[in-house]
Structure formats: C-alpha cells, structure tokens
Amino acid sequence: MENDLLLARRAALTGAAVGLRYFAALAQLPRQLKSDGSVVTEADRAVEAAIREVLADTRPDDAVLGEEAGQSGGGSRRWIVDPIDGTALFVAGDNRWLVLVALEEAGEIVVGVAAVPAQGKVWWAQRGGGAFQADFSGLTLTDERRITVDGDRPDILRGSRLGVIPTDDELFQAEREMIAPLSAMTSTAPWSTHAALLVASGQLDLAVQTRGQVWDYAATSLIVEEAGGRFSGLDGQAQPAPGPALFARSGLVHTAALQVLNTGADRLADDHRSMR
C-alpha cells in the first residue's frame, strides 16, 4: 500500500497539474470574493476536488478538511488541504502560489507537502523523518535532497533575515504596526517562494505570516520543524491554528522574535483601547 507521505505528495502534485492548467489561462478565469474579502476562483475548487479524489480513492475512511469544501468524514486521521495558497498571487500571474497537503493524526501533524507548481519545486516532511526538497515535472521528481535550517549563524535576533507573508502590498496597516518592532531589529528580505520554506532551506532566519488558518500552516509548520526550526502562533502554541504565526530557524531566535512580536501586538491593542 502507498504510504501516507507518498500519497500526500501524489495528491499535491496531482492538484498542482490542475492548478497549472488554470494558471496558463488566467485571462479566462472568473474571480469571486468570499465573505472575508479574499479571492476565490474555479481553479481553487478544481484543485481541491482533484486532491480529494486522490485521497478518497486510497484512504476512503479518513476525514478531509479543505479550504473550499470544508470538512468531510471523521475519525482520528484528517487530511488538511489548501488547494491554492496565495490565490491573490495566482490571479496576478505571480508564480509563488502553493498547493498544500498535510495529514493530522490524533491532533498532530505527521506529514506535510508544499508544492510550488509554477516553479516546479516541492518540499515535504514526515514527523521524525526530516525535511526534503526536489524539482518536479508531473509526478516525476528530480534532484531530491534533504534540507536543514541555517545552523551556522549566531542565535541573535538583530540582523536576522526576515520574510513577511503576505506580500507588502497586501498587508493591513494593523499588521504593519504589529511587525514593525521586529522589522526594526532584523533585515527584511524579499521571498522568491513562501518565506517559511526559505527558513527550512536555510535562506532566511525568520518568517512571520500575519494571518492564516490551519490549512495555511499544517504543511509548512512540519517542514520547518523537521528541517530543525521552530513554529508557533503568537501565543506560543505549536499546533497550527487560525491567526498570525512565526517560523524560526532555532528555538532561541524564535523565543526572542516572539517576545518582540507580542510586545508590538500588546502596544497596538493598548493604542486601540485608548482611542475608544
């Protein structure tokens, strides 16, 4: 039987192929707004449907939680799917969008896959098994290699390389204010692919994702952890959950950055209360 990691990777790459077909014909792709103001397209739904079909054929008794179709099934095993992470990038023709697939067992993420279809790159991890990256075409992988965070840099916050998600033009003013104290101590860097994946592969020290749901974090959190890094929400909770989140290359850098971010968030909340 195909193991969970191979299945997750096949499901993600199957969804990637569907997404690429839509990406090649963006001019004809209708867009809608969800109730939260984010963009959704037929491509999001088609990619999720393709991934769900792969999972249902092989693991029909497992639950599936997807961003577009919600949750189906029950039990202790749950697949978590973000069919197009970065739909705003997708519809803008930006090649940094992802397909994310993860498996949660008894409340713990145990498998995670992050494909960047338009760049032909895929990252994956299995709990206890390390993190890996490869190039791909269709379902075929090449140049497979293990990845780790950068362990040679000093564990200090000042001068650390920081990536901020989403892109600068999509940040809300309150989010800019929240991360400002951390940005002042670090060197904010552009990211050619999801900043958390660059932390995992040693190219960044920190990544802040200012908003997200469990499907945004399930795969990337495990990949960073298995590469030797740390992940949590701003409350320090390591289990993926809605809200902003922090990825770091080490525990010491993570703790220091979390303290700065929470100081900024507390100051912002005090300012808002004083204005009422």
Side-chain angles (χ1 to χ4, degrees):
M1 178 183 289
E2 186 177 30
N3 68 35
D4 290 329
L5 175 58
L6 293 179
L7 174 59
R9 205 165 62 193
R10 180 165 65 89
L13 296 184
T14 298
V18 174
L20 282 172
R21 291 200 293 270
Y22 282 95
F23 194 61
L26 279 177
Q28 291 78 46
L29 184 63
R31 299 104 193 257
Q32 298 173 303
L33 291 180
K34 297 182 185 180
S35 58
D36 64 1
S38 61
V39 180
V40 65
T41 72
E42 181 184 331
D44 297 83
R45 301 185 185 99
V47 172
E48 183 168 322
I51 293 171
R52 284 177 175 270
E53 183 176 359
V54 170
L55 298 175
D57 285 346
T58 311
R59 303 286 193 274
D61 296 329
D62 290 353
V64 180
L65 171 66
E67 179 178 8
E68 305 309 331
Q71 180 155 327
S72 59
S76 63
R77 287 171 51 92
R78 180 172 72 162
W79 297 90
I80 302 173
V81 178
D82 190 345
I84 297 181
D85 181 61
T87 301
L89 297 173
F90 181 92
V91 299
D94 190 309
N95 69 4
R96 291 177 288 178
W97 55 279
L98 303 95
V99 175
L100 302 174
V101 177
L103 174 62
E104 178 187 63
E105 284 193 282
E108 181 179 58
I109 305 300
V110 296
V111 169
V113 178
V116 187
Q119 297 181 15
K121 298 183 182 300
V122 59
W123 285 254
W124 68 89
Q126 186 167 21
R127 189 161 296 279
F132 296 82
Q133 180 185 352
D135 299 331
F136 76 91
S137 178
L139 298 179
T140 302
L141 302 185
T142 57
D143 193 23
E144 180 178 332
R145 57 206 179 273
R146 188 162 186 163
I147 58 171
T148 62
V149 297
D150 187 343
D152 295 330
R153 291 170 64 85
D155 280 327
I156 57 175
L157 195 56
R158 191 164 297 280
S160 290
R161 302 162 297 176
L162 169 68
V164 179
I165 309 160
T167 53
D168 187 67
D169 58 327
E170 290 187 14
L171 285 172
F172 301 137
Q173 183 58 33
E175 294 171 336
R176 296 178 195 277
E177 295 174 16
M178 179 185 72
I179 64 175
L182 182 61
S183 298
M185 300 181 66
T186 58
S187 175
T188 303
W191 39 275
S192 57
T193 192
H194 195 289
L197 299 176
L198 297 183
V199 172
S201 56
Q203 298 169 68
L204 289 176
D205 303 305
L206 290 162
V208 174
Q209 191 158 341
T210 61
R211 67 190 95 114
Q213 300 293 327
V214 62
W215 46 75
D216 294 293
Y217 301 131
T220 51
S221 63
L222 182 62
I223 292 168
V224 169
E225 288 171 353
E226 285 298 318
R230 287 281 306 277
F231 164 84
S232 79
L234 296 197
D235 59 0
Q237 172 59 250
Q239 188 68 11
L246 173 68
F247 304 83
R249 64 170 182 80
S250 74
L252 289 173
V253 172
H254 179 272
T255 299
L258 201 60
Q259 183 176 8
V260 171
L261 283 170
N262 280 319
T263 299
D266 291 343
R267 185 183 300 117
L268 182 60
D270 290 342
D271 289 346
H272 286 173
R273 280 193 290 269
S274 67
M275 293 170 63
R276 291 175 182 171

